[in-house]
Amino acid sequence: MAGEEGPTTGSGLFELDAVVVGQPKRSRWRRYVGPALAVSTVQGTPLAWVTYTDDTYSVLTTTSGESIVRIEQFGPAKFRFTDAADREVGTAGARGFAKTRQLRLQTEQGRRLFLTRPGLLHVEWHLTETDPDGGPAPEILGRVTVSTIDSWIGLQQYVVEMGPRLDASERRTVVASVVCLHLLRRPPGASTAPA
């Protein structure tokens, strides 16, 4: 599931096997005014930016400014994804007290996926088609691994690996859900300590 050199268009972003979603590095001494998150290849080539328009909306755009996905947050842990034509292309939501333990996803075609962290101390989430808590261990379709890239400021980075059983529209839902995961772990305006 290694990443390849990335294309420059939004649709090509979702053909990659792996991308990195993370907070851009910034000066410790000056107020940061850039995008909230950057999406890049594993090798570091920038592909897209995520900006927060307000407390409800986030927008994923290519580095050239083309809108790819708009993420709307309903309540504390429910999200809806729309494309540039304002069509719904997926959803994500969490339930329960530990909202960063599992996200339930639905793709544009209606496929249900689960992004689940095996335990609260794990740094890796598993993408599966069935709920891991509901029976035998399901096949892992992808992984999201989080790390801290600047411990002083507390910047987070998510490596998103996606298997060949996911098409481009499903990968779009997974990448958008990682943005949601970041919002749940560190909401805009919250302290720098991750949940």
Side-chain angles (χ1 to χ4, degrees), residues 11-34:
S11 60
L13 159 66
F14 305 117
E15 294 169 4
L16 296 174
D17 291 335
V19 296
V20 176
V21 178
Q23 294 175 286
K25 292 188 178 179
R26 55 200 72 178
S27 169
R28 294 179 171 119
W29 316 114
R30 286 187 233 146
R31 186 171 185 270
Y32 178 73
V33 293

Side-chain angles (χ1 to χ4, degrees), residues 37-147:
L37 298 169
V39 182
S40 64
T41 64
V42 174
Q43 295 81 12
T45 305
L47 299 169
W49 310 113
V50 176
T51 54
Y52 303 140
T53 58
D54 57 33
D55 287 342
T56 306
Y57 292 99
S58 303
V59 180
L60 176 64
T61 58
T62 62
T63 53
S64 63
E66 171 194 354
S67 178
I68 306 172
V69 178
R70 184 171 150 174
I71 301 166
E72 182 177 6
Q73 183 171 0
F74 298 97
K78 187 170 182 182
F79 302 88
R80 182 174 87 114
F81 312 140
T82 54
D83 64 11
D86 206 30
R87 291 182 306 239
E88 185 173 294
V89 294
T91 62
R95 291 189 290 176
F97 178 72
K99 290 186 170 45
T100 60
R101 187 178 178 281
Q102 184 181 77
L103 284 178
R104 295 166 186 251
L105 316 178
Q106 183 167 322
T107 68
E108 184 176 9
Q109 295 83 16
R111 184 178 185 186
R112 294 190 183 278
L113 299 169
F114 296 86
L115 188 58
T116 307
R117 182 166 42 165
L120 292 177
L121 298 179
H122 285 72
V123 296
E124 184 175 272
W125 284 259
H126 297 161
L127 181 69
T128 59
E129 198 162 11
T130 57
D131 189 342
D133 296 333
E139 176 187 1
I140 295 175
L141 303 173
R143 288 181 170 80
V144 175
T145 307
V146 66
S147 61

Side-chain angles (χ1 to χ4, degrees), residues 174-187:
V174 173
V175 171
S177 73
V178 171
V179 174
C180 300
L181 180 63
H182 179 77
L183 290 169
L184 291 174
R185 295 183 79 239
R186 181 176 307 175

